[in-house]
């Protein structure tokens, strides 16, 4: 038993010395190729075995013949191990280089395509991650292009919408200044109307900029949908009467929600005003509020005749109006974009779909916690 322990001790000391030397070499060449590192690892394994064998042989006073046999066997093992390590290293490095070349493609705006052929589990996992990253980058680029296009359209449309009332204001101001206005009071009322419209437009732009910047601060409180819808109906009723549109509330359940009352009133107000302006005289605009498996659903239905299917995905885009006519009743095309921004800030979602004779806008909000 004592001899076995001594053999184990000598073998361990010889192998440990070789292992420490190998660790030092690996540290020195840690920035070199993987092939070199694998060759060092193989060499360390064989040398550790040889060192342990030589230490035991020295302690046991083996004959020169026996020692040469052991050394020859260890040398052959070293040759085979080094050759295998070099082949493995070259294969892994080649696969890594193919992966690097494929990764450059999506960095330049292309799509990532994993190289063909077998790979280690780690390289295969890396390839999948690169493919997922490529897909996310492509989606991000598409969103950025759409946002940039939307911004350019917004700037063009807002410039047009600002130029028209400003030109009218200047003309009316000059007429009043020169004393050629036949009805000064009518001019003053019109000036006030245009100023209010410009003020509303600037307010919408400010709200939209806060939404896009992520700085829309919400002050949530527990509110009943019944009260929220009632206030919205009262605010939109004068416009509905002016345009001859029937405004009704149906299925208004007194469901509590935790929302920012001011912002959600703006959401309902924008939806109602949009529906009333798009509905012809003697048409009906209906608002409903009820529970659903996904939370609470607020819906506004109108009689506008429906929205073309190809336009439905763009309804909530900034500046969308659904018409090429840039007339004042069409608004600046910001109301529905503000609706979506506020609803998403409440962790909800806004959607639209066609119904017989018109369309329905739906706002889904999380139900209040009990």
């Amino acid at each position: 038993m004592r001899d076995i322990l001594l053999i184990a001790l000598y073998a361990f000391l010889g192998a440990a010395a070789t292992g420490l030397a190998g660790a030092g070499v690996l540290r020195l060449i840690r920035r070199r190729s993987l092939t070199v590192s694998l060759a060092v690892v193989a060499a360390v394994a064989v040398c550790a075995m040889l060192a342990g064998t030589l230490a035991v042989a020295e302690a046991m006073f083996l004959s020169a013949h026996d020692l040469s046999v052991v050394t020859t066997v260890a040398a052959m093992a070293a040759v085979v191990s080094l050759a295998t390590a070099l082949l493995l290293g070259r294969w892994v490095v080649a696969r890594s280089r193919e992966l690097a070349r494929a990764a450059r493609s999506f960095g330049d705006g292309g799509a990532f395509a994993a190289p063909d052929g077998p790979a280690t589990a780690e390289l295969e996992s890396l390839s999948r991650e690169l493919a997922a990253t490529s897909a996310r980058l492509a989606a991000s680029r598409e969103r950025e292009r759409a946002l940039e296009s939307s911004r350019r359209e917004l700037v063009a449309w807002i410039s047009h919408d600002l130029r028209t009332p400003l030109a009218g204001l200047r003309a009316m101001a000059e007429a009043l200044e020169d004393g050629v206005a036949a009805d000064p009071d009518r001019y003053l009322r019109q000036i006030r109307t245009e100023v209010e419209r410009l003020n509303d437009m600037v307010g919408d732009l400010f709200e939209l900029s806060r939404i896009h910047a992520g700085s829309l601060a919400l002050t949530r409180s527990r509110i009943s949908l019944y009260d929220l819808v009632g206030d919205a109906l009262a605010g939109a009723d004068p416009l509905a009467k002016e345009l001859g549109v029937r405004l009704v509330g149906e299925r208004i359940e007194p469901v509590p929600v935790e929302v920012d009352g001011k912002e959600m009133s703006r959401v309902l107000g924008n939806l109602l005003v949009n529906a009333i302006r798009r509905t012809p005289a003697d048409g009906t605009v209906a608002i409903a509020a009820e529970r659903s498996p996904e939370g609470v659903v607020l819906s506004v239905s109108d009689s506008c005749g429906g929205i073309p299917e190809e336009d439905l995905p763009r309804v909530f885009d900034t500046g969308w109006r659904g018409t090429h006519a840039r007339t004042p009743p069409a608004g600046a095309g910001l109301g529905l974009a503000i609706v979506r921004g506020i609803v998403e800030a409440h962790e909800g979602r806004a959607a639209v779909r066609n119904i017989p004779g018109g369309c329905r806008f739906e706002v889904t909000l999380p139900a209040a916690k009990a």
Side-chain angles (χ1 to χ4, degrees):
M1 185 64 183
R2 182 172 176 275
D3 292 341
I4 295 298
L5 292 176
L6 285 175
I7 290 172
L9 177 62
Y10 284 130
F12 173 76
L13 292 176
T18 305
L20 289 175
V25 173
L26 285 175
R27 181 176 178 79
L28 293 175
I29 63 170
R30 61 184 181 275
R31 299 183 184 276
R32 299 291 297 276
S33 170
L34 181 62
T35 304
V36 177
S37 297
L38 286 174
V40 171
V41 170
V44 167
V46 175
C47 292
M49 181 188 69
L50 183 59
T53 301
L54 292 176
V56 172
E58 182 67 23
M60 296 176 65
F61 302 104
L62 291 179
S63 65
H65 177 267
D66 293 340
L67 186 58
S68 64
V69 170
V70 172
T71 306
T72 302
V73 171
M76 293 302 100
V79 171
V80 173
S81 298
L82 287 173
T84 304
L86 290 172
L87 287 175
L88 175 61
R90 291 187 62 182
W91 180 78
V92 172
V93 169
R95 180 68 180 186
S96 299
R97 288 173 179 168
E98 291 175 0
L99 205 56
R101 284 193 296 270
R104 289 193 203 103
S105 63
F106 76 82
D108 296 332
F112 174 77
D116 297 328
T120 63
E122 292 78 9
L123 290 179
E124 191 66 33
S125 176
L126 177 59
S127 180
R128 287 194 298 269
E129 288 297 326
L130 288 173
T133 301
S134 175
R136 289 194 293 269
L137 283 174
S140 177
R141 291 191 193 99
E142 187 62 31
R143 286 194 301 270
E144 185 64 27
R145 281 193 291 267
L147 183 59
E148 186 59 30
S149 175
S150 177
R151 285 171 179 167
R152 286 196 298 268
E153 290 180 355
L154 177 62
V155 170
W157 292 347
I158 291 298
S159 298
H160 180 281
D161 290 339
L162 289 175
R163 188 182 298 114
T164 301
L166 287 175
L169 287 171
R170 183 168 68 175
M172 288 184 286
E174 290 175 351
L176 290 171
E177 186 178 18
D178 296 339
V180 298
D183 187 355
D185 289 339
R186 183 175 68 84
Y187 275 54
L188 291 173
R189 287 193 299 271
Q190 186 63 27
I191 288 174
R192 179 181 179 84
T193 299
E194 294 296 335
V195 169
E196 289 177 350
R197 182 168 162 258
L198 288 173
N199 183 68
D200 291 342
M201 191 183 301
V202 172
D204 285 346
L205 283 172
F206 178 69
E207 183 80 357
L208 196 61
S209 68
R210 288 199 303 160
I211 290 171
H212 286 169
S215 59
L216 181 63
L218 300 177
T219 304
R220 297 175 186 260
S221 59
R222 195 178 184 89
I223 303 175
S224 171
L225 282 182
Y226 190 86
D227 296 334
L228 198 63
V229 172
D231 292 342
L233 287 172
D237 188 60
L239 178 62
K241 289 181 178 178
E242 178 185 347
L243 299 180
V245 175
R246 291 186 297 273
L247 190 60
V248 299
E250 54 184 25
R251 301 191 309 277
I252 310 297
E253 298 184 14
V255 182
V257 288
E258 292 183 359
V259 297
D260 187 310
K262 178 181 177 183
E263 297 296 343
M264 285 308 303
S265 294
R266 181 164 194 164
V267 166
L268 292 180
N270 284 0
L271 290 177
L272 286 172
V273 168
N274 179 73
I276 292 169
R277 285 179 174 168
R278 301 285 180 178
T279 298
D282 294 330
T284 301
V285 171
I287 183 171
E290 53 191 342
R291 295 180 185 271
S292 78
E294 299 176 350
V296 177
V297 177
L298 290 162
S299 64
V300 175
S301 305
D302 59 36
S303 306
C304 68
I307 300 172
E309 292 296 328
E310 62 272 16
D311 286 342
L312 283 176
R314 293 201 60 200
V315 166
F316 292 99
D317 289 353
T318 301
W320 184 86
R321 299 185 186 185
T323 175
H324 296 292
R326 314 305 298 173
T327 53
L334 305 180
L336 294 179
I338 291 173
V339 166
R340 180 174 63 179
I342 294 175
V343 171
E344 290 180 351
H346 282 85
E347 300 174 0
R349 73 174 189 276
V352 60
R353 59 187 174 89
N354 285 323
I355 58 175
C359 61
R360 175 175 294 163
F361 288 84
E362 295 182 346
V363 170
T364 304
L365 297 171
K369 298 178 180 178

